[in-house]
């Protein structure tokens, strides 16, 4: 496949809609950049792109993705697809997504291209400048078509029904290229034009509210109970030590999935969190009893949205539901005039958060056909196999955009 190559694309050829409003440049340049070649100049443009992204995704921001690439195994030929506008030295970054070749698709030995994610990356929506969505997809697909990339393009973990999804389907429709939603799930989302108190009163059952209030009072009877919120770097290292220890103490530690259970996840965590704090995007919350943390959580802010990253609680106090009590405090983010929503990043049907946050965000996996006889044949064979298997198992993929139409 092509590595580190550049492809100049006339923007009006990529997208009938032309360039984003106010962006008066004639050329969009698609570049494949090996992950090892990320430098300070790119980070500056990357930061500016994230601030103006059509759909916020902290998991592809530089302070999260770079430590991920450094600490976790990934495709040996992983590259960043970058879309630049204008001429070198006078350009803006329009879009970014990490891509690599995978040798298998589920149980099928079918090589294909997909965006890179890892176990602690909970969203795979590309970072794309608002207004440049169709240009981005057109450029990416043209670049993949022109190279020797195998199979088809698979996008994991993208928001269904958002600007990137809508633009991808529009571009593929214009190009008579198949774009199939092959999996979807719904996870808890917090949003609402109301205060935390109003949300609690209208969205959480009265019986549940009374039960939690009782637990909080009883917990407070056992010692000094305090809630704290931090958005700076003060005492950050010590706080992170406490979080790692608290998470490992519980069921995640027993199963080996706590961040502190491996050198890679521990080092990734210690590298990414200061970067998030320096960018002003890290929010830490904790609940302490006599000074000791019994529940802690981490949120990331980006644009007018936020992402719930990790939660830990002391299971010795489970009868008081400390994790739930801290999430009730977390509802005060609704009082912020600069925040519209919080993505829980939790699995579908999560036993705790689903009962508190009533809205849902739909996340999906998309398979997109690439041009060329062998690639088109590979794509259609895989999709046929998936369709037959879905019929055998009686599965149906829910697409919320169909109910909205």
């Amino acid at each position: 496949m092509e590595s580190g190559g550049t492809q100049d694309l006339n923007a009006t050829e990529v997208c009938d809609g032309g360039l984003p409003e106010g962006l008066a440049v004639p050329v969009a340049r698609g570049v494949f950049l090996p992950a090892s070649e990320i430098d300070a100049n790119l980070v500056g443009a990357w930061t500016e792109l994230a601030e103006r992204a059509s759909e916020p995704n902290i998991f592809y921001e530089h302070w999260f993705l770079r430590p991920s690439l450094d600490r976790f195994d990934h495709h040996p030929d992983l590259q960043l697809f970058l879309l630049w506008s204008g001429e070198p030295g006078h350009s803006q970054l329009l879009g970014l997504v990490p891509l690599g070749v995978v040798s298998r698709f589920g149980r099928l030995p079918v090589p294909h291209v997909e965006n890179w994610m890892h176990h602690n990356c909970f969203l795979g929506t590309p970072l794309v400048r608002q207004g440049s969505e169709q240009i981005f997809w057109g450029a990416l697909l043209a670049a993949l078509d022109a190279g020797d990339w195998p199979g088809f393009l698979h996008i994991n973990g993208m928001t269904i029904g958002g600007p990137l999804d809508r633009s991808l389907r529009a571009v593929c429709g214009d190009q008579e290229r198949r774009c199939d939603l092959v999996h979807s799930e719904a996870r808890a989302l917090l949003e609402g034009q109301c205060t935390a108190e109003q949300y609690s009163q209208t969205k959480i059952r009265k019986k549940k509210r009374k039960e939690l209030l009782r637990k909080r009072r009883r917990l407070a009877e056992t010692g000094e109970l305090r809630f704290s919120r931090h958005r700076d770097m003060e005492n950050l290292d010590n706080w992170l030590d406490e979080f790692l220890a608290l998470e490992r103490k519980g069921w995640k530690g027993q199963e080996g999935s706590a961040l502190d259970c491996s050198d890679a996840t521990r080092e990734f965590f210690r590298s990414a969190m200061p970067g998030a704090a320096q960018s002003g995007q890290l929010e830490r919350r904790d609940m302490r009893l006599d000074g000791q943390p019994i529940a802690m959580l981490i949120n990331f802010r980006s644009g007018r949205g936020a992402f719930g990253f990790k939660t830990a609680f002391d299971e010795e106090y489970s009868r008081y539901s400390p994790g739930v009590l801290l999430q009730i405090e977390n509802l005060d983010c609704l009082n912020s005039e600069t925040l519209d929503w919080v993505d829980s990043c939790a699995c579908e049907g999560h036993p705790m958060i689903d009962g508190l946050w009533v809205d849902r965000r739909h996340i999906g996996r998309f398979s997109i056909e690439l041009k060329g006889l062998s690639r088109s044949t590979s794509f259609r064979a895989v999709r046929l196999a998936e369709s037959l298997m879905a019929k055998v198992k009686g599965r149906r993929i829910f697409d919320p955009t169909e109910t909205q139409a």
Side-chain angles (χ1 to χ4, degrees):
M1 79 200 66
E2 296 182 354
S3 175
T6 301
Q7 182 177 9
D8 288 350
L9 300 162
N10 185 292
T12 56
E13 293 177 357
V14 171
C15 167
D16 290 341
L19 292 166
E21 184 178 352
L23 188 60
V25 293
V27 174
R29 296 179 297 114
V31 179
F32 289 107
L33 180 76
S36 60
E37 296 182 16
I38 297 172
D39 58 21
N41 290 330
L42 173 58
V43 169
W46 194 342
T47 300
E48 195 264 345
L49 167 65
E51 292 172 350
R52 292 162 175 76
S54 174
E55 294 186 53
N57 182 3
I58 62 94
F59 302 102
Y60 281 170
E61 293 196 33
H62 73 90
W63 53 262
F64 192 97
L65 185 56
R66 292 186 75 187
S68 300
L69 293 168
D70 291 340
R71 306 300 180 188
F72 299 135
D73 292 337
H74 53 71
H75 319 310
D77 56 352
L78 187 139
Q79 301 180 56
L80 299 183
F81 175 76
L82 308 172
L83 186 66
W84 296 92
S85 68
E87 301 301 326
H90 302 280
S91 59
Q92 291 181 323
L93 188 57
L94 299 182
L96 174 151
V97 64
L99 296 172
V101 174
V102 181
S103 60
R104 301 186 66 86
F105 186 74
R107 298 180 179 180
L108 301 175
V110 180
H112 63 284
V113 187
E114 70 177 28
N115 60 324
W116 183 66
M117 299 176 68
H118 56 83
H119 289 306
N120 290 293
C121 174
F122 304 121
L123 191 67
T125 304
L127 279 181
V128 179
R129 186 179 296 268
Q130 187 172 10
S132 300
E133 299 90 350
Q134 291 196 27
I135 294 174
F136 172 81
W137 288 120
L140 174 58
L141 293 171
L144 294 175
D145 286 344
D148 59 353
W149 298 82
F152 51 93
L153 173 62
H154 189 69
I155 298 294
N156 288 299
M158 189 164 74
T159 307
I160 301 174
L164 268 297
D165 171 17
R166 295 195 301 269
S167 297
L168 174 60
R169 299 195 206 207
V171 168
C172 290
D174 290 343
Q175 297 180 359
E176 298 183 345
R177 183 195 303 265
R178 279 185 60 179
C179 172
D180 295 352
L181 175 65
V182 299
H183 176 80
S184 68
E185 62 183 47
R187 63 195 191 199
L189 178 74
L190 179 65
E191 64 178 352
Q193 303 299 318
C194 62
T195 65
E197 178 64 22
Q198 290 169 337
Y199 189 94
S200 179
Q201 292 292 324
T202 59
K203 306 297 185 181
I204 302 176
R205 291 180 294 109
K206 183 178 180 180
K207 182 179 179 180
K208 182 74 170 179
R209 296 198 309 271
K210 291 179 66 176
E211 177 190 3
L212 291 174
L213 181 59
R214 177 183 59 81
K215 290 183 176 183
R216 176 167 171 161
R217 287 172 176 167
R218 290 196 173 180
L219 180 59
E221 292 171 358
T222 68
E224 183 186 25
L225 187 64
R226 287 191 176 183
F227 294 86
S228 300
R229 173 177 173 269
H230 316 271
R231 291 203 63 190
D232 54 26
M233 297 192 66
E234 184 177 354
N235 200 35
L236 178 60
D237 288 342
N238 184 62
W239 196 95
L240 297 178
D241 287 342
E242 291 179 317
F243 184 92
L244 289 171
L246 185 62
E247 187 187 46
R248 183 160 190 168
K249 182 181 178 182
W251 66 269
K252 289 184 180 180
Q254 296 172 6
E255 292 187 354
S257 61
L259 291 164
D260 199 43
C261 286
S262 78
D263 291 341
T265 52
R266 183 188 312 111
E267 292 169 4
F268 153 74
F269 183 70
R270 291 194 177 281
S271 297
M273 296 307 102
Q278 290 169 1
S279 69
Q281 295 175 257
L282 176 64
E283 179 178 86
R284 299 173 281 139
R285 289 179 178 265
D286 57 56
M287 180 173 70
R288 295 174 182 267
L289 187 67
D290 292 333
Q292 296 300 310
I294 60 172
M296 308 176 80
L297 67 81
I298 295 170
N299 294 326
F300 295 130
R301 297 284 297 269
S302 185
R304 298 193 63 83
F307 299 84
F309 180 57
K310 292 290 180 179
T311 301
F313 66 92
D314 191 333
E315 294 178 8
E316 292 181 9
Y317 294 89
S318 59
R319 64 186 178 278
Y320 300 109
S321 302
V324 180
L325 293 179
L326 186 55
Q327 285 291 354
I328 294 297
E329 289 293 312
N330 194 35
L331 289 176
D332 69 8
C333 62
L334 290 170
N335 300 333
S336 171
E337 295 182 355
T338 63
L339 190 67
D340 293 334
W341 51 264
V342 184
D343 182 345
S344 69
C345 297
C347 61
E348 185 175 59
H350 192 279
M352 184 271 285
I353 201 66
D354 274 26
L356 298 178
W357 295 7
V358 300
D359 294 300
R360 297 292 178 262
R361 171 177 251 196
H362 295 269
I363 307 297
R365 301 202 304 261
F366 296 78
S367 290
I368 302 103
E369 183 179 17
L370 297 180
K371 300 296 185 180
L373 179 60
S374 63
R375 292 188 290 203
S376 180
T377 300
S378 174
F379 170 83
R380 292 172 185 272
V382 168
R383 291 298 299 125
L384 177 60
E386 287 185 307
S387 297
L388 292 174
M389 185 60 66
K391 287 183 179 180
V392 169
K393 295 186 176 182
R395 291 199 309 254
R396 181 182 179 276
I397 297 168
F398 175 68
D399 186 349
T401 64
E402 295 178 353
T403 63
Q404 297 168 3

